[in-house]
Amino acid sequence: MTKLERLLRRDGLFIGAHRGYSERYPENTLLAVQEGIALGVDLVEVDVYLSRDGVPVIAHDNHLERCSNGTGNIHNYTLKELKQLDFGIHRGIVYEGLHLPTLEQFLSYMRDYPDVLIDIDFKVYDYTLDTVKAALPLIEQMGMMDRCVFNCVDCDIVSYLTERVGRRVIGAPHDYPWQVNFHPGPKGTLSELWGICIPYNMLDDTHVQICHDHDITVICTPADTPEQVARAMHYQTTLPLCNDPRAYLRAAGRL
């Protein structure tokens, strides 16, 4: 049984690095990914957008201001233009010169760590479907599909992913009314979800019960402090996504 098969069967605890080791290093950079893996996580979560010339790139925000020295939207820049921006300086001079990776660069890097799974989060913006259609063939061509789970908060993208990938995916319908966009029932979009990513402040009996009622895996973020780790463990969270994975790794006896 592969590690992905074990995860999909909820066979054990899988600790994830959310945007890499993003508490300490510039998020979604290869440095943050590298340092998360060095801690011993089971999975790395990254976020994907599309450049103006159609290249999938790794970044959490469509807007460039928070995580780079650029302005405007990622999808308005070509890859060459994006590569001229600094995605490290906002976290301090020591990180100056870091660049956003392309999805291909990230996947190439991950080849050296075959035991680490990947969570690809497709962010919702005007070109989400185009991003998915560019990313999935690349993942297939690089032979990485059996390492990946997929995530989106948009129910139409969830439906597309489920059909295209051939397995249920991760959603986060807390961003929308639970019973409106993610419909219950055997043909509803809740049935297409393998997991729901619940924000820590919504990790409670009500939301966990919704997951259990629909045979959906409990995922939570963040799970960084001892209090957050204790609650996530209380609810038997299969996949905690941690900005700083150290507390969860310690609680699990792995650090």
Side-chain angles (χ1 to χ4, degrees), residues 22-200:
S22 56
E23 178 68 22
R24 180 166 290 190
Y25 302 95
E27 64 185 55
N28 278 311
T29 62
L30 289 183
L31 176 61
V33 171
Q34 171 188 322
E35 295 298 332
I37 292 172
L39 286 176
V41 298
D42 301 290
L43 174 146
V44 172
E45 184 266 358
V46 295
D47 311 279
V48 181
Y49 284 97
L50 206 61
S51 69
R52 191 177 73 195
D53 47 346
V55 180
V57 297
I58 304 298
H60 182 270
D61 300 357
N62 189 20
H63 297 286
L64 289 162
E65 286 81 358
R66 184 177 66 87
C67 289
S68 80
N69 62 349
T71 60
N73 296 330
I74 282 179
H75 68 266
N76 290 330
Y77 287 75
T78 65
L79 177 61
K80 182 178 179 179
E81 292 167 338
L82 289 170
K83 285 294 190 179
Q84 294 171 356
L85 301 177
D86 192 311
F87 279 77
I89 189 64
H90 67 288
R91 293 293 296 270
I93 191 69
V94 68
Y95 301 119
E96 183 179 13
L98 291 179
H99 301 289
L100 90 170
T102 64
L103 176 60
E104 183 174 7
Q105 287 173 320
F106 166 72
L107 294 173
S108 294
Y109 182 83
M110 293 299 293
R111 278 179 167 161
D112 291 335
Y113 304 95
D115 291 333
V116 182
L117 299 175
I118 299 164
D119 178 358
I120 302 291
D121 188 352
F122 292 107
K123 311 310 292 184
V124 176
Y125 70 127
D126 290 343
Y127 304 98
T128 303
L129 184 57
D130 294 325
T131 306
V132 173
K133 289 181 176 180
L136 292 184
L138 176 61
I139 294 168
E140 290 171 334
Q141 290 164 16
M142 297 185 71
M144 303 288 276
M145 192 61 78
D146 63 351
R147 302 260 309 273
C148 293
V149 292
F150 300 95
N151 188 354
C152 191
V153 304
D154 183 272
C155 61
D156 293 327
I157 299 298
V158 162
S159 294
Y160 180 87
L161 283 167
T162 301
E163 182 176 358
R164 174 67 173 75
V165 176
R167 58 178 180 262
R168 294 188 296 165
V169 299
I170 301 170
H174 56 271
D175 284 355
Y176 303 96
W178 281 73
Q179 308 300 330
V180 176
N181 286 291
F182 283 81
H183 303 288
K187 295 185 179 180
T189 41
L190 279 181
S191 68
E192 297 171 329
L193 296 179
W194 166 79
I196 288 179
C197 188
I198 304 175
Y200 172 76

